């Protein structure tokens, strides 16, 4: 249900029974830790989400597709979303929401006997563990796991202090389908349906590409520092972005086309939903957005932008519209006509009644039907010589007018999924009174807020 914002006491208090702790201790001593969280409180589900607040609390905003002087300070309704579940975990954890919104990954350390090992769990939306993998090497000191190919696969990387370790690709059910030893942290990238795999070794600056039928070695390349890239559709075409140039490679590693990047910088790039075009923004001072043909690399159109910001990209599901967001010092959102590059509207968000705050658009997504746009907004303010970052969820109509905004809390990490209307909110390594790290993970739904009459 759509709820108006009310000030509430932050945090959740759960009773801890001494007998329960004894039982848990005995089980851990005998079998090791199955998970890393306490029993779930069923009362968490369906209640309003209460965000963890910083010293200053949430801000009131004004915004719209026009100059700041025309913005009504009260024109954005503030709503609260529904919480699906909430858990508190001991230690450092990293959570990622699946692209299809049906599960999430929880990466952490797990007790096995007298030692801790890095690993990850795949959980359903109730927080129940579907399956897990724990790396059996106690020397590993860094590990992480990622959804790949729209959630069809999961990539996992682990290494020790000497950067020696392994990379794994597992199917959605946990079955191991690919593994390689590595020297240097390595990031996996997969094509849309998982037919092709690329590995970026960030220490050795190499790219290795593997293809069908069973991830056979296809080609490899020595890279410049900071290189990144992605497959177009389900491959084999691979767009590689390096300092000063972008190149499209074919199945055998042959260069299909190359484009010079102005100023010797890097692109932020995105392929259109049909794979026919590549949109790219450039760094300052060029600060522009370009649309290229994926067929031959020819320029279709370009549009100048103001300097500043990250200038990230999002296509509408039908490919007819292109959004460039986090532009300039005010983190503006531009809607462009993808066919001709014309700017349809510009959206500006301004904090009302608070000076010295800085706004950033961290993420922006269209809903699958293209009717709404949702964005993860971060307001940074200086409080007692410390920057406090407060997240908000902003919903926009296709014409650029704000529908509502939701406070998500300070010092949190947010994973957004517009397909399922979900938010995964994780506190950022909070230390309790005993000096122990405890992180709270909350799964929130905002789908009903979008579909309810405004």
């Amino acid at each position: 249900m759509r709820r108006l914002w009310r000030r509430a006491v932050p945090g959740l208090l759960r009773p801890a029974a001494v007998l329960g702790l004894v039982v848990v201790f005995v089980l851990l001593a005998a079998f090791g830790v199955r998970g890393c969280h306490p029993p779930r409180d069923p009362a968490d589900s369906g209640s309003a989400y209460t965000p963890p607040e910083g010293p200053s609390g949430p801000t009131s905003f004004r915004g719209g597709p026009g100059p700041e002087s025309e913005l009504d300070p009260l024109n954005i309704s503030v709503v609260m979303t529904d919480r699906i579940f909430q858990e508190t975990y001991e230690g450092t954890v990293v959570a990622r929401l699946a692209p299809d919104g049906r599960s999430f990954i929880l990466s952490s350390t797990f007790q096995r006997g007298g030692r801790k090992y890095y690993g990850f769990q795949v959980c359903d939306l109730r927080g129940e563990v579907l399956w897990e993998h724990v790396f059996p090497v106690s020397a590993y000191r860094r590990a992480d796991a990622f959804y790949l190919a729209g959630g069809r696969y999961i990539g996992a990387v682990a290494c020790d202090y000497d950067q020696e370790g392994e990379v794994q690709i597992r199917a959605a059910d946990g079955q191991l389908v690919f593994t390689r030893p590595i020297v240097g942290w390595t990031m996996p990238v997969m094509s849309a349906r998982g037919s092709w795999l690329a590995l970026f070794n960030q220490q050795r600056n190499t790219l290795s590409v593997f293809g069908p039928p069973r991830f056979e070695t296809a080609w490899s390349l020595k890279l410049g520092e900071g290189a990144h890239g992605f497959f177009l559709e389900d491959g084999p075409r691979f767009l590689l972005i390096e300092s000063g140039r972008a190149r499209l490679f074919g199945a055998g590693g042959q260069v299909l086309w190359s484009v010079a990047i102005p100023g010797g910088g890097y692109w932020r790039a995105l392929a259109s939903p049909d794979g026919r075009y590549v949109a790219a923004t450039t760094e300052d001072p060029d600060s522009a957005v370009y649309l290229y043909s994926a067929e031959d690399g020819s320029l279709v159109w370009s549009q100048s932008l103001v300097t500043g910001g990250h200038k990230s990209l999002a296509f509408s599901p039908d490919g007819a519209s292109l959004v460039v967001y986090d532009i300039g010092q005010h983190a503006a959102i531009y809607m462009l006509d993808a066919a001709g590059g014309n700017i349809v509207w510009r959206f500006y968000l301004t904090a009302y009644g608070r000076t010295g705050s800085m706004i950033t658009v961290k993420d922006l997504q269209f809903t699958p039907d293209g009717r709404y746009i949702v964005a993860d907004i971060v307001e940074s303010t200086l409080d007692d010589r410390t920057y406090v970052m407060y997240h908000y969820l902003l919903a926009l109509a296709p014409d650029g007018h704000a529908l509502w905004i939701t406070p998500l809390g300070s010092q949190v990490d947010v994973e957004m999924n517009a397909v399922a209307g979900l938010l995964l909110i994780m506190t950022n390594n909070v230390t309790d009174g005993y000096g122990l790290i405890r992180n709270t993970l909350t799964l929130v739904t905002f789908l009903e807020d979008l579909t309810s009459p405004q």
Side-chain angles (χ1 to χ4, degrees):
M1 177 180 295
R2 188 168 181 265
R3 293 180 172 88
L4 294 179
W5 164 254
R6 299 189 303 270
R7 182 76 61 182
V9 178
L12 291 175
L13 298 177
R14 300 180 180 177
V18 175
L19 179 60
L21 292 176
V22 172
V23 172
V24 170
F25 177 79
V26 172
L27 290 175
L28 293 183
F31 304 106
V33 177
R34 172 66 179 172
C36 56
H37 56 79
R40 182 171 301 102
D41 183 356
D44 284 344
S45 179
S47 57
Y49 168 64
T50 302
E53 294 186 11
S56 303
T59 301
S60 297
F61 287 97
R62 57 184 179 182
E68 182 179 342
S69 60
E70 299 178 4
L71 303 182
D72 181 355
L74 302 176
N75 69 344
I76 304 182
S77 300
V78 181
V79 303
M80 281 304 294
T81 52
D82 286 337
R83 183 177 62 217
I84 296 177
F85 86 94
Q86 189 170 56
E87 286 288 358
T88 298
Y89 301 84
E90 293 184 2
T92 300
V93 295
V94 177
R96 289 186 170 89
L97 189 60
D100 62 9
R102 297 180 180 179
S103 63
F104 65 88
I105 295 174
L106 192 71
S107 299
S108 186
T109 56
F110 301 86
Q111 192 80 28
R112 293 294 183 265
R115 293 184 175 181
K116 286 187 176 181
Y117 298 83
Y118 278 94
F120 64 93
Q121 297 176 331
V122 178
C123 304
D124 63 19
L125 298 187
R126 298 169 299 175
E128 301 295 337
V129 178
L130 300 174
W131 58 272
E132 67 177 21
H133 174 72
V134 177
F135 292 101
V137 181
S138 61
Y140 286 160
R141 291 298 178 264
R142 182 184 179 189
D144 208 346
F146 325 86
Y147 284 101
L148 302 171
R152 293 176 175 84
Y153 294 91
I154 290 174
V157 186
C159 63
D160 58 21
Y161 282 133
D162 295 323
Q163 297 294 303
E164 295 184 5
E166 60 188 291
V167 58
Q168 298 183 357
I169 306 296
R170 293 180 176 270
D173 61 0
Q175 180 182 359
L176 181 66
V177 298
F178 176 93
T179 184
R180 285 290 188 280
I182 58 173
V183 178
W185 188 256
T186 300
M187 291 296 296
V189 176
M190 292 193 85
S191 60
R193 291 183 293 277
S195 299
W196 289 78
L197 168 68
L199 299 179
F200 281 93
N201 188 306
Q202 297 178 349
Q203 178 175 309
R204 297 187 170 185
N205 291 324
T206 59
L207 170 65
S208 303
V209 178
F210 307 85
R214 295 182 179 88
F215 299 121
E216 308 294 337
T217 299
W219 55 277
S220 61
L221 193 66
K222 182 68 177 178
L223 306 174
E225 188 173 352
H228 58 279
F230 55 86
F231 290 98
L232 270 63
E233 299 180 289
D234 197 36
R237 295 179 300 169
F238 187 85
L239 182 67
L240 178 65
I241 301 167
E242 298 177 279
S243 176
R245 67 175 176 178
R247 292 180 289 173
L248 188 71
F249 290 83
Q254 72 276 25
V255 178
L256 303 178
W257 52 258
S258 179
V259 172
I261 299 176
Y266 295 87
W267 271 357
R268 284 183 179 268
L270 181 68
S272 61
D274 58 10
R276 296 177 57 193
Y277 302 99
V278 173
T281 58
T282 53
E283 299 174 332
D284 298 339
D286 182 67
S287 190
V289 55
Y290 299 87
L291 189 76
Y292 295 90
S293 167
E295 179 67 26
D296 57 11
S298 60
L299 179 64
V300 179
W301 54 257
S302 65
Q303 178 66 252
S304 297
L305 305 171
V306 298
T307 58
H310 294 90
K311 296 179 281 291
S312 299
L313 297 156
F315 272 102
S316 61
D318 61 5
S321 300
L322 174 66
V323 170
V324 186
Y325 60 95
D326 197 59
I327 301 174
Q329 61 177 337
H330 299 296
I333 299 172
Y334 286 21
M335 170 72 81
L336 288 81
D337 170 24
N342 299 314
I343 298 175
V344 180
W345 49 258
R346 300 175 176 88
F347 178 89
Y348 302 92
L349 186 69
T350 303
Y352 179 65
R354 178 178 291 178
T355 59
S357 66
M358 182 177 66
I359 295 173
T360 303
V361 184
K362 297 290 289 185
D363 190 15
L364 181 145
Q365 299 175 19
F366 282 85
T367 55
D369 57 9
R371 294 178 58 191
Y372 305 100
I373 300 169
V374 289
D376 176 16
I377 306 293
V378 178
E379 181 193 22
S380 301
T381 56
L382 186 61
D383 191 282
D384 193 23
R385 299 182 180 182
T386 301
Y387 276 98
V388 176
M389 293 176 287
Y390 204 109
H391 285 255
Y392 304 83
L393 179 67
L394 173 68
L396 301 176
D399 62 0
H401 284 86
L403 300 175
W404 45 258
I405 195 166
T406 295
L408 301 179
S410 66
Q411 309 303 83
V412 296
D413 297 315
V414 175
E415 284 265 342
M416 181 173 66
N417 187 309
V419 172
L422 295 174
L423 295 170
L424 193 63
I425 305 169
M426 174 70 77
T427 57
N428 194 350
N429 295 330
V430 177
T431 303
D432 65 12
Y434 299 97
L436 301 175
I437 296 176
R438 297 182 184 275
N439 285 299
T440 299
L441 180 149
T442 308
L443 188 65
V444 171
T445 175
F446 59 87
L447 188 60
E448 189 173 346
D449 294 312
L450 283 176
T451 56
S452 298
Q454 304 299 320

